[in-house]
């Protein structure tokens, strides 16, 4: 089967490479000529473990191609996936302009029956909007079906999530469209992947409900961590005690500086706006957003309390991306934290294994960019761990002592054990864990 994917961002590229691995013939379309030129050479414009190798393999074997010509992609395909950006507007609503433009372009070049599928995260009712646009702009009257197939890819684990998903959601009205999409995912039946076959509106809502709930778990455990600090409880053990309850489960119960990335911030704002547009106030998710923003500022306060007056202090920051194993800096907590540290007069040296190029676009000349962990902390008054990359989990602490000017460690991801760090002679601070009674207030 031939399929076309419009949009070669994170979701589009992962989807295309994985479907090619399933043995399908995939054409990826994007209007960015330079990006397409890079992709034709097997160069991926962002970091995702395993994706470049998988893409290059598919290129060698002729199962994936990249083009700027939407006509070529659409006319050769039975199924067309829309995987373009859906950024937030200032009011939290979703900017559907890219979706609308792509729908018009598809309509103008369609020459036969197609199944047009939204992979992008879109508000409920977008399927109907796409259908209306295509009907209005078709140059040749041909039949088509609209479907929703939301993605649930975690950055840093996207290939595993696609190849071994928890579930596949297919929303469509047409039995033919449902059958075609189920056929696309046939390899997953062999590993007994659950399939949810539903209507388009429900499929669109499942994505928002999932991301909003996960964001809620993160904000909840961050609130618990803040309370634990005040009463002298250990949030790690609190989270473990909660997570062993099968009704709750342990994932996303890890305290830290707040959530970021391309999904949770955008999708929580969107579901609040969707609810409001339909006359309902989504109070829980509104609180989740508020708590997440406050958490970043509390981390700044924590760093300031640990180091004293920040003016002219040199801070070594380890980790800039919103999570490990990605180069994605979108809505990363590090942005808010570093900007506030700079406002308070601190000087910042930073290192991230994959995010430095993206960070330079954000901070420009405001901070110093270092080549590795140890140059980032050299001569620093304090070290701050913001992103829990594996290489930060086993530092040579004797070397750290010799390199740093000060002895303050602020571990915003709770990578290390507090008692051990104190024994090593560090002024150690973490999130929601007592350190010899120091955190009881």
């Amino acid at each position: 089967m031939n399929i076309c994917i419009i949009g070669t961002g994170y979701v589009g590229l992962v989807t295309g490479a994985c479907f090619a691995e399933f043995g399908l013939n995939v054409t990826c379309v994007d209007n960015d000529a330079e990006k397409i030129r890079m992709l034709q050479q097997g160069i991926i414009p962002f970091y995702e473990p395993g994706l470049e190798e998988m893409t290059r393999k598919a290129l060698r074997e002729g199962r994936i191609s990249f083009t700027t010509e939407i006509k070529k992609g659409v006319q050769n395909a039975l199924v067309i996936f829309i995987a373009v950006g859906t950024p937030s507007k200032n009011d939290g609503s979703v900017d559907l302009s890219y979706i609308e433009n792509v729908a018009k372009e598809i309509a103008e070049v369609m020459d036969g029956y197609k199944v047009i599928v939204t992979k992008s995260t879109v508000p409920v009712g977008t399927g109907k909007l796409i259908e209306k646009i295509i009907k209005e702009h078709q140059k040749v009257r041909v039949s088509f079906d609209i479907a929703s197939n939301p993605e649930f890819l975690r950055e840093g684990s996207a290939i595993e999530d696609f190849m071994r998903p928890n579930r596949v959601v297919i929303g469509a009205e047409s039995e033919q469209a449902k059958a075609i999409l189920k056929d696309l995912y046939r390899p997953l039946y062999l590993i007994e992947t659950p399939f949810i076959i539903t209507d388009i509106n429900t499929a669109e809502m499942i994505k928002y409900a999932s991301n909003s709930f996960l964001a809620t778990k993160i904000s909840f455990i961050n609130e618990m961590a803040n309370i634990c600090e005040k009463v002298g409880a250990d949030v790690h053990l609190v989270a473990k005690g909660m997570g062993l309850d099968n009704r709750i489960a342990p994932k996303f119960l890890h305290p830290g500086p707040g959530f970021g990335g391309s999904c949770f911030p955008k999708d929580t704002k969107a579901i609040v706006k969707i609810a409001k547009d339909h006359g309902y106030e989504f109070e829980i998710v509104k609180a989740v957003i508020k708590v997440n923003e406050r958490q970043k500022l509390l981390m700044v306060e924590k760093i300031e309390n640990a180091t004293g007056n920040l003016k002219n202090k040199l801070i070594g920051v380890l980790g800039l991306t919103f999570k490990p194993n990605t180069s994605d800096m979108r809505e990363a907590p590090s942005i808010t934290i570093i900007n506030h540290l700079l406002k308070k007069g601190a000087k910042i040296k930073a290192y991230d294994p994959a995010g430095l190029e993206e960070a330079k676009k954000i901070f420009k000349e405001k901070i110093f960019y270092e080549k590795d962990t140890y140059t980032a902390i050299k001569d620093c008054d304090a070290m701050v761990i913001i992103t829990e990359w594996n290489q930060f989990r086993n530092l040579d602490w004797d070397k750290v002592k010799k390199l740093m000017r000060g002895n303050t460690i602020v571990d915003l991801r709770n990578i290390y054990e507090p008692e051990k760090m104190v024994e090593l002679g560090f002024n150690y601070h973490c999130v929601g864990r007592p350190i010899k009674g120091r955190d009881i207030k």
Side-chain angles (χ1 to χ4, degrees):
M1 189 186 298
N2 295 337
I3 68 171
C4 172
I5 297 172
I6 301 175
T8 59
Y10 186 85
V11 171
L13 278 181
V14 172
T15 301
C18 289
F19 271 136
E21 186 71 12
F22 282 173
L24 300 169
N25 297 314
V26 181
T27 302
C28 293
V29 179
D30 201 288
N31 59 9
D32 186 334
E34 177 58 22
K35 183 191 283 190
I36 291 297
R37 185 189 66 77
M38 290 173 60
L39 291 169
Q40 288 169 341
Q41 299 174 51
I43 301 171
I44 304 298
F46 53 83
Y47 179 75
E48 175 63 34
L51 182 58
E52 190 162 297
E53 294 82 355
M54 181 177 279
T55 303
R56 289 186 174 186
K57 178 187 174 191
L59 280 167
R60 286 195 306 271
E61 296 174 0
R63 292 196 309 276
I64 195 167
S65 62
F66 300 96
T67 182
T68 57
E69 299 176 32
I70 193 167
K71 182 177 181 179
K72 179 180 176 183
V74 169
Q75 292 188 350
N76 289 339
L78 173 61
V79 181
I80 302 157
F81 286 92
I82 300 176
V84 297
T86 51
S88 291
K89 294 181 180 179
N90 291 335
D91 64 355
S93 63
V94 179
D95 181 352
L96 291 175
S97 59
Y98 298 110
I99 295 278
E100 293 169 359
N101 289 338
V102 166
K104 291 174 187 175
E105 292 182 59
I106 292 170
E108 290 170 357
V109 298
M110 284 174 62
D111 61 348
Y113 173 77
K114 311 289 178 186
V115 181
I116 299 152
V117 188
T118 50
K119 263 287 180 193
S120 306
T121 302
V122 295
V124 175
T126 303
K128 297 294 184 186
L129 173 64
I130 293 171
E131 181 179 13
K132 178 175 179 290
I133 290 171
I134 290 175
K135 284 181 177 177
E136 289 175 352
H137 290 84
Q138 275 186 324
K139 291 187 175 179
V140 178
R141 292 292 170 189
V142 291
S143 63
F144 64 94
D145 284 312
I146 301 295
S148 173
N149 176 218
E151 53 85 17
F152 301 96
L153 305 176
R154 296 170 299 164
E155 293 191 40
S157 309
I159 290 174
E160 177 70 13
D161 288 345
F162 193 100
M163 305 301 270
R164 294 174 179 81
N166 297 130
R167 78 288 204 193
V168 172
V169 176
I170 295 172
E173 313 301 330
S174 155
E175 293 303 319
Q176 183 178 4
K178 293 175 185 176
I180 290 169
L181 289 175
K182 286 169 69 176
D183 193 45
L184 283 183
Y185 285 104
R186 184 167 46 187
L188 299 182
Y189 280 90
L190 298 175
I191 57 173
E192 299 182 347
T193 300
F195 277 68
I196 297 175
I197 311 298
T198 183
D199 59 89
I200 294 172
N201 283 4
T202 302
E204 291 169 343
M205 185 57 85
I206 287 171
K207 170 69 178 196
Y208 281 113
S210 299
N211 279 358
S212 297
F213 186 76
L214 294 176
T216 300
K217 289 186 78 172
I218 294 171
S219 280
F220 179 86
I221 202 63
N222 282 338
E223 292 257 77
M224 290 303 305
N226 297 335
I227 298 170
C228 283
E229 287 187 5
K230 293 184 178 297
V231 302
D234 189 329
V235 73
H236 271 205
L237 295 177
V238 171
K240 185 175 182 180
M242 292 171 58
L244 289 172
D245 187 325
N246 291 335
R247 297 169 301 175
I248 298 172
K251 290 186 177 180
F252 288 83
L253 291 177
H254 303 289
F259 58 76
S262 62
C263 293
F264 289 0
K266 174 173 69 73
D267 293 351
T268 49
K269 291 173 187 173
I271 193 63
V272 167
K273 185 64 167 61
I274 291 166
K276 188 169 185 175
D277 288 346
H278 288 80
Y280 187 79
E281 296 295 330
F282 203 157
E283 298 294 351
I284 289 177
V285 179
K286 285 165 66 176
V288 166
I289 295 167
K290 182 179 178 181
V291 166
N292 192 58
E293 291 307 308
R294 183 179 65 181
Q295 188 70 7
K296 300 171 192 175
L297 299 180
L298 288 174
M299 297 302 100
V300 176
E301 185 179 308
K302 181 181 289 288
I303 295 166
E304 186 170 28
N305 289 340
T307 59
N309 190 332
L310 284 166
K311 189 171 180 59
N312 294 321
K313 290 282 177 68
L314 185 59
I315 311 294
V317 172
L318 301 184
L320 297 169
T321 54
F322 86 96
K323 65 180 288 188
N325 296 321
T326 180
S327 57
D328 199 340
M329 287 285 297
R330 285 174 288 182
E331 302 279 348
S334 65
I335 298 172
T336 298
I337 292 169
I338 288 173
N339 280 332
H340 277 79
L341 294 177
L342 291 171
K343 286 179 183 177
K344 291 176 178 289
K347 298 176 181 177
I348 305 294
K349 295 170 70 179
Y351 171 68
D352 188 281
L356 288 182
E357 291 307 311
E358 290 301 311
K360 288 174 183 176
K361 298 174 186 176
I362 296 166
F363 298 114
K364 298 181 171 50
E365 305 301 320
K366 295 178 183 177
I367 68 174
F368 301 99
Y369 306 93
E370 302 298 339
K371 63 181 180 180
D372 59 40
T373 302
Y374 295 105
T375 56
I377 63 170
K378 188 175 187 297
D379 299 324
C380 286
D381 297 292
M383 172 204 297
V384 178
I385 301 172
I386 297 183
T387 312
E388 68 277 30
W389 286 86
N390 281 337
Q391 66 192 75
F392 302 151
R393 293 178 180 273
N394 193 26
L395 297 179
D396 182 337
W397 291 109
D398 288 334
K399 186 174 181 179
V400 169
K401 279 184 180 179
K402 291 174 183 176
L403 287 171
M404 285 182 65
R405 181 165 59 204
N407 73 332
T408 299
I409 309 294
V410 185
D411 179 1
L412 300 185
R413 295 293 182 172
N414 291 358
I415 295 174
Y416 292 98
E417 288 299 320
E419 289 75 17
K420 179 67 174 175
M421 296 303 295
V422 171
E423 285 176 15
L424 289 171
F426 288 101
N427 174 29
Y428 179 79
H429 298 256
C430 54
V431 181
R433 306 190 76 185
I435 304 174
K436 295 186 177 180
R438 186 183 69 199
D439 295 323
I440 300 177
K441 297 174 184 177

